[in-house]
Amino acid sequence: MNETFYTIASFEFAADVQIIKAKLESEGIQVFLRDENTLNSDPLISAAIGGVKLQVYASEKERATEIYNEVRAYAMDDEGRPVVCPNCKAQKSEVYYERKGLFYKLFPFFEKRKYKCLNCGMITKPL
């Protein structure tokens, strides 16, 4: 059987993906964690390799994405409130890094955090 994989999301730390993995598996979806063992052996390289990738078979991506969107954690501001998109007022944003330029690719921890609205796609800086 020649199945292809679909990446649902990436996580900075291997522990962050475990609840989502358990939820998907409880729904009968087979889950694969790419680069999990690499980050377990050296967590400091997470930004360099793009974190742990939560993958499912491409044939199950719609169902897996739907389940993931029901239980995912959205970005919070410094006071613990959901980040609100200034464009569409949705509270469904996630942390976003552009990694433009060689400097930020080599030293991603220097880049300022931004938020990407999952509803309209607008990228904003924290207030």
Side-chain angles (χ1 to χ4, degrees):
M1 192 160 151
N2 188 10
E3 288 271 358
T4 57
F5 295 105
Y6 177 78
T7 301
I8 300 289
S10 295
F11 297 84
E12 186 175 1
F13 302 107
D16 295 343
V17 72
Q18 295 303 322
I19 293 174
I20 305 292
K21 177 185 178 208
K23 175 64 176 169
L24 290 172
E25 288 178 340
S26 74
E27 298 286 335
I29 297 173
Q30 193 168 6
V31 175
F32 305 92
L33 300 178
R34 185 171 171 204
D35 295 327
E36 177 187 26
N37 292 331
T38 304
L39 289 183
N40 282 337
S41 64
D42 187 0
L44 297 176
I45 64 168
S46 181
I49 65 171
V52 177
K53 288 81 166 177
L54 174 69
Q55 297 183 322
V56 298
Y57 286 125
S59 60
E60 297 183 303
K61 77 176 185 179
E62 287 83 18
R63 190 163 150 248
T65 301
E66 183 179 305
I67 293 167
Y68 172 67
N69 286 334
E70 289 175 7
V71 298
R72 74 188 303 173
Y74 296 105
M76 303 292 225
D77 64 13
D78 293 335
E79 284 84 42
R81 297 180 306 239
V83 173
V84 178
C85 175
N87 185 42
C88 69
K89 307 300 183 219
Q91 295 182 356
K92 295 184 175 184
S93 295
E94 64 183 4
V95 176
Y96 176 79
Y97 296 100
E98 291 177 314
R99 304 225 192 312
K100 286 187 177 178
L102 181 61
F103 180 77
Y104 291 125
K105 288 180 182 174
L106 293 174
F107 306 102
F109 42 85
F110 284 116
E111 185 176 357
K112 299 289 185 207
R113 180 177 25 178
K114 297 177 186 88
Y115 299 104
K116 181 176 182 179
C117 177
L118 300 174
N119 191 42
C120 70
M122 183 175 185
I123 298 170
T124 59
K125 295 179 183 177
L127 300 173

